[in-house]
């Protein structure tokens, strides 16, 4: 296993819809294992493959004692919203904003062997599934911000200080990066200390 470099805001892979996984084998197993190790290394609650530069529909998660991965996820959502919580993203380090999300989510897909899986949850687990699926669709949580939070986020990103925060975070993460995963041709959810995510 290896700790992978997490791509940050501005990398085109984060704004590209990821492709379905069609090959199940040792390369996919290595990607999932490396993503899980990377997610733990940065204390993340979730990580999507585009966040590590791989444009495939895979994410890993670790919320409230539940952990795993989903390949080619399909998301179902409740109609009602959950209480807003602060949300961050490993690809947008140093920022966190109150983000609207649906109360309940069920994600169906397959595991790394192609076996069907289905997981459902509320609260932070539902929030994580929505956040990671957004990554696979080329969206970031800042796209869902409204009102003053959206203005503040965009202002912070434009400010030069954000560039310094992002560069410092990338540098700190580079201390533990073992190798990058590139065989697929080439994510996240925010650090767990943001509203438990």
């Amino acid at each position: 296993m290896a700790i992978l470099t997490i791509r940050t805001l501005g990398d085109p892979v984060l704004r590209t819809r990821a492709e379905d996984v069609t090959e199940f084998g040792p390369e996919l197993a290595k990607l999932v294992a490396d993503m899980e190790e990377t997610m733990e290394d940065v204390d993340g609650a979730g990580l999507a493959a585009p966040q590590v530069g791989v444009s495939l529909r895979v994410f890993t998660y670790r919320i409230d004692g539940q952990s795993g991965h989903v390949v080619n996820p399909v998301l179902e959502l409740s109609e009602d919203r959950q209480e807003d919580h602060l949300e961050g993203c490993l690809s947008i380090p140093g920022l966190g904003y109150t983000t609207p999300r649906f109360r309940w989510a069920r994600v169906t897909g397959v595991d790394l062997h192609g076996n069907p899986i289905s997981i459902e949850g509320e609260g932070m687990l539902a929030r994580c599934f929505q956040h990671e699926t957004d990554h696979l669709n080329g969206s970031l949580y800042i796209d869902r911000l409204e009102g003053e939070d959206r203005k503040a986020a965009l202002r912070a990103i434009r400010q030069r200080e954000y560039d310094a925060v992002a560069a410092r975070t990338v540098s700190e993460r580079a201390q533990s990066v073992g190798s990058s995963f590139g065989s697929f041709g080439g994510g996240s959810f925010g650090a767990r200390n943001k509203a438990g995510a």
Side-chain angles (χ1 to χ4, degrees):
M1 293 191 295
I3 296 170
L4 308 175
T5 300
I6 297 176
R7 306 297 177 93
T8 56
L9 187 65
D11 191 315
V13 73
L14 296 175
R15 290 302 195 177
T16 304
R17 188 183 189 283
E19 297 180 10
D20 286 340
V21 173
T22 57
E23 295 184 23
F24 294 81
E27 288 187 352
L28 179 62
K30 180 175 181 353
L31 173 64
V32 170
D34 288 350
M35 287 174 60
E36 289 174 340
E37 186 172 13
T38 302
M39 182 178 64
E40 287 190 26
D41 181 68
V42 295
D43 198 25
L47 186 66
Q51 292 182 276
V52 294
V54 179
S55 191
L56 288 175
R57 299 186 74 78
V58 181
F59 72 74
T60 58
Y61 63 95
R62 185 178 61 148
I63 297 280
D64 297 334
Q66 291 186 273
S67 62
H69 67 277
V70 184
V71 177
N72 297 336
V74 176
L75 200 59
E76 297 173 64
L77 301 169
S78 63
E79 293 184 2
D80 56 328
R81 303 271 182 161
Q82 61 176 268
E83 185 176 330
D84 288 346
H85 280 279
L86 189 67
E87 194 168 312
C89 180
L90 296 172
S91 292
I92 313 175
L95 298 180
Y97 294 94
T98 301
T99 307
R101 294 289 187 185
F102 293 96
R103 176 187 56 80
W104 170 90
R106 174 189 295 134
V107 63
T108 56
V110 296
D111 66 13
L112 59 86
H113 304 292
N115 300 313
I117 55 176
S118 177
I119 311 121
E120 63 181 63
E122 298 183 352
M124 293 309 296
L125 188 59
R127 181 172 291 273
C128 177
F129 291 161
Q130 293 168 70
H131 182 111
E132 302 309 329
T133 303
D134 278 353
H135 273 300
L136 303 182
N137 293 328
S139 295
L140 302 171
Y141 85 96
I142 55 174
D143 300 330
R144 295 192 176 275
L145 299 180
E146 301 168 345
E148 289 304 313
D149 281 337
R150 182 172 178 80
K151 291 178 185 175
L154 296 178
R155 192 167 43 245
I157 289 168
R158 281 193 300 266
Q159 289 177 343
R160 294 183 64 183
E161 290 80 10
Y162 177 71
D163 292 338
V165 170
R168 186 173 56 247
T169 301
V170 169
S171 175
E172 289 169 0
R173 288 178 183 162
Q175 305 288 325
S176 59
V177 172
S179 68
S180 62
F181 189 94
S183 60
F184 276 105
S188 102
F189 196 47
R192 289 162 50 88
N193 59 3
K194 279 196 173 54

